[in-house]
Amino acid sequence: MAYFPMFIDVKGTAVAIIGAGDVALRKVKVMLEYEAKITVIAIDVSDEIWKLEKEKKIIVRQKAYDEEDIKDAALVIAATNDTTLNKRISAYCKEHRIPVNVVDVQEECSFIFPAYVKQGPITVGVTSSGASPVISQKIKKMVMNTLPDYYGELADSLGKVREEVQKKIDTEKERKQVFKKLIAIGEERKGRISYDDLEEVLKKK
Ligand SMILES: C[C@@]1(CC(=O)O)C2=NC(=C\c3[nH]c(c(CCC(=O)O)c3CC(=O)O)Cc3[nH]c(c(CC(=O)O)c3CCC(=O)O)/C=C3\N/C(=C\2)[C@@H](CCC(=O)O)[C@]3(C)CC(=O)O)/[C@H]1CCC(=O)O
Ligand SMILES: NC(=O)c1ccc[n+]([C@@H]2O[C@H](COP(=O)([O-])OP(=O)(O)OC[C@H]3O[C@@H](n4cnc5c(N)ncnc54)[C@H](O)[C@@H]3O)[C@@H](O)[C@H]2O)c1
């Protein structure tokens, strides 16, 4: 059985993370990288999580969990060391159709985390659908070793000229050719492309 890869926009989305230990911290860091609005609910809070709260990157509610804490969340991550509580959180979320991840108990998750490589707007996500997180980690390292380090900024710059290309060129087939040429220019330069590069490519058409 394989999981379907779905990429979702979590920028500004209310994410509730229950628990504030090492495992929760890993999830906080991932969700922060994708600009979610994170609230951590936990009895014991690690120093690193307090530091993020002081930097105003996350909200921390130091308390015992109750259902009020997650009723308005768009995503929930149960990361406590109390397996019965994690199960209860999962059951509540499933009943209320809130996507939920229970750290390291796959059957209780409605979504799971991938190993991933992020460069600007590019994310390469890897999953083994729970078969072996360590093989996902290994594949992630293979991607890190082969993905050129300027691809994120190249993708960003292609995004910036894309609207112009869509306006100026009628067919999808031709637009694709233009983007391939722009990528080749970026690869030669090992960096971003500009509107001038687009003008050059359009002139030679
Ligand atoms: C990708 C990553 C993201 C992250 O966690 O953020 C991730 N696990 C990572 C590492 C890792 N996890 C574990 C080990 C120890 C070795 C081992 O046990 O194999 C290591 C290695 C390490 O720690 O280095 C233990 C473990 N994990 C799960 C179970 C329970 C089970 O299988 O049911 C147990 C046993 C717990 C126990 O024994 O008590 C379950 C899940 N872990 C997943 C994701 C989802 C499936 C993803 C996939 O299939 O690819 C899934 C299903 C749910 C989820 O957590 O979303 C991250 C790599 C981060 C990176 O480097 O990029
Ligand atoms: N640490 C790891 O690398 C690792 C690896 C595999 C699995 N796990 C599992 O993941 C889970 C979390 O691990 P951890 O190391 O982050 O644990 P931890 O003990 O460091 O943290 C647990 C957190 O849950 C909070 N908590 C417990 N009951 C609560 C309640 N009723 N209300 C609010 N908060 C509550 C605690 O206050 C604490 O912040 C555990 O079940 C552990 O077995 C951990």
Side-chain angles (χ1 to χ4, degrees):
M1 199 261 292
Y3 278 52
F4 176 70
M6 191 168 75
F7 293 89
I8 63 166
D9 179 8
V10 295
K11 188 172 174 175
T13 296
V15 176
I17 301 179
I18 332 300
D22 287 348
V23 174
L25 178 65
R26 202 161 79 200
K27 305 298 187 195
V28 167
K29 285 181 176 164
V30 175
M31 298 313 293
L32 264 183
E33 196 165 19
Y34 288 88
E35 300 177 58
K37 191 167 158 268
I38 301 160
T39 303
V40 171
I41 299 102
I43 299 167
D44 305 303
V45 179
S46 72
D47 291 348
E48 263 198 89
I49 290 195
W50 276 130
K51 186 166 173 278
L52 292 169
E53 195 257 0
K54 288 205 175 70
E55 293 166 355
K56 298 206 178 326
K57 291 185 175 148
I58 60 172
I59 295 165
V60 174
R61 286 197 214 136
Q62 190 171 21
K63 65 187 280 296
Y65 162 85
D66 64 63
E67 280 167 3
E68 275 293 302
D69 295 320
I70 60 171
K71 75 174 194 344
D72 296 324
L75 281 183
V76 169
I77 299 164
T80 78
N81 53 355
D82 178 340
T83 47
T84 315
L85 174 60
N86 286 349
K87 216 185 187 116
R88 222 173 72 216
I89 296 171
S90 169
Y92 176 91
C93 289
K94 286 181 178 172
E95 194 188 325
H96 292 84
R97 296 178 185 271
I98 305 169
V100 62
N101 177 270
V102 178
V103 291
D104 298 338
V105 187
Q106 187 170 358
E107 310 79 65
E108 288 166 22
C109 297
S110 57
F111 74 94
I112 62 170
F113 281 80
Y116 70 95
V117 179
K118 179 178 183 302
Q119 254 194 51
I122 293 176
T123 290
V124 181
V126 181
T127 190
S128 66
S129 308
S132 169
V134 178
I135 203 167
S136 301
Q137 237 169 13
K138 169 128 202 218
I139 296 165
K140 172 177 95 174
K141 284 183 187 136
M142 289 159 84
V143 172
M144 283 166 90
N145 291 335
T146 51
L147 187 71
D149 61 7
Y150 59 86
Y151 258 44
E153 58 172 321
L154 176 55
D156 241 337
S157 65
L158 288 161
K160 291 204 169 92
V161 303
R162 189 158 177 234
E163 204 180 318
E164 197 72 14
V165 174
Q166 276 163 342
K167 259 192 248 155
K168 289 189 167 151
I169 301 180
D170 292 337
T171 71
E172 208 172 292
K173 200 172 159 205
E174 280 179 299
R175 287 198 284 273
K176 185 171 172 180
Q177 290 311 316
V178 168
F179 286 121
K180 281 187 168 175
K181 284 179 190 158
L182 289 170
I183 291 168
I185 292 170
E187 283 178 327
E188 217 168 277
R189 199 179 289 150
K190 298 196 173 0
R192 48 183 54 248
I193 56 97
S194 65
Y195 280 97
D196 289 347
D197 295 322
L198 174 60
E199 291 305 320
E200 278 303 307
V201 169
L202 294 182
K203 247 190 261 165
K204 287 188 193 144
K205 242 172 55 66

